[in-house]
Amino acid sequence: MKKQNFKAYLISALLVGLYSCNSNDDLVTDSAAAASQFKVINVTHHDGQPFSTGKSTNSTTGRYVANPGGGVMMQAFYWDVPAGGTWWNTVNTKITAWSNAGIGSIWLPPVSKAQNGPFSMGYDPTDYFDFGNYNQNGTIETRFGSRTELESLITKVHAENMQVYADMVLNHNSGGQLENNPFTGTQTYTNFTAVASGKFPRTSADFYKNAYGNNDEGAFGGFPDLAHVVPNVQDWLWKRADGVGKYYKNTMKFDGWRFDYVKGFAPWVVNDWNANVGGFSVGELWDSNVNILNDWANNANSSVFDFACYYKMNDAFDGNNLNILNDDMMWKRNPYKAVTFVSNHDTDEIWKKELAYAYILTHEGYPTIFYRDYEEWLNKTKMDNLIWIHNNKGTGTTSILYTDTDEYIARRNGYNGNPGLVVYINNSSTWQERWIQTNWANAQIKDFTGNSTWIPTTQGDKWVKIQCPPNGYSIWSINM
């Protein structure tokens, strides 16, 4: 989708107070007294397996390897990345470092030629088969580069044992020629029979209004609205062996899809695509209603971006009320179809991003990292630490142990021998401490972020006191 609500700003570094504990004597006390201040707010009941994109590898080369915590995705672009055909090469230089950091997949912007040629971000597609190798719309290369550079990038991603997802804009087209439209009685820009690739020719019969009806779920930006009920559209998008989906998958070697503006067409479109083409898929359904997100994901047989989580995090962290994190979200309802995120090319509202990333990288779902957050705006060392924790400790179901306006504590319950973790988020200006119940009896634990120097031992009844820095987080697990 086109940019709607993007705020260009530099994120101020969160100040982390320095604190040391001279004695751990106060870590041992009667657990009954501790229980009086402990309360389980909510427990989610899901299959205990970690999220997985289905990829596995036994690589011992230091490249990305499938891990207990599941995948982390990098959104490998932002709105208005530099024009001039350099972006594919820029991303190519990042892949090895991302792989070493534990990133398992990248999401690219729309890769085909669009109406605005060398200046387009790709969301106004003209020729799905022009990857920067045909001279049309005023350019040979796309804004991002040439087909050769794109193929080199995809090859590099796969060499690092990572996956690459294409941004698919299926709702609308742009850049067609004028034709007499018998369905409107006017001339419309719906003639795409002369696209340079010669593939997916389409006319006014393939767009609403047409013989099948006046419209479907939604139009966007005044662009010609593809009618997916038309056999020609279905054939070229996902049924034909040389059609868009199968060409992208089998020839260009994409592993999955991010579907743009899925509010504009029915979920059966994505369901049919997935059944015919395969690969990972996630839909951009811009809605904070969990019921709507979950219904779409089930009907489309696809993952969906967790906008419910996004808006709840914004309200909780920036609105200074962490109790809101008890509310329903897609990752709680259906974690295997929830893709969580803190910001993206369309929307960037959360200011306390470090807390938000600590949240999504310790909880269920498939977390996405935004390019500018990782490469430009936030502390990359802290981000790499959170990715490591997610990959190595973020397993099992989730129990929310404590919340108030300033504090949030949750436990990942572990899976298949992995101990899981406890995450403590503190939105106040002072250090905080809480007694909590872990899943570990008589076990030494530590904060894997290094924000706390405590190394306490849990009691026989699994209780322990932990601490959290101001405006920060700590993440605890067995010291091993």
Side-chain angles (χ1 to χ4, degrees), residues 184-252:
T184 64
T186 64
Q187 286 194 320
T188 54
Y189 289 95
T190 49
N191 186 345
F192 292 82
T193 60
V195 291
S197 70
K199 296 183 177 183
F200 194 9
R202 49 213 186 272
T203 68
S204 59
D206 298 305
F207 298 90
Y208 291 113
K209 168 180 179 182
N210 61 9
Y212 290 84
N214 292 335
N215 59 272
D216 57 0
E217 272 70 8
F220 183 79
F223 296 128
D225 188 23
L226 271 174
H228 303 91
V229 295
V230 179
N232 182 58
V233 174
Q234 294 181 23
D235 287 345
W236 273 107
L237 283 181
W238 64 80
K239 289 185 176 179
R240 292 174 59 126
D242 61 344
V244 175
K246 292 176 183 177
Y247 191 91
Y248 277 49
K249 187 171 188 289
N250 300 324
T251 300
M252 299 303 292

Side-chain angles (χ1 to χ4, degrees), residues 49-51 65-71 390-396 412 415 418:
Q49 298 183 29
F51 177 88
V65 178
N67 49 74
H390 170 273
N391 290 350
N392 291 277
K393 303 294 184 180
T395 63
R412 293 295 298 278
Y415 174 75
N418 185 285

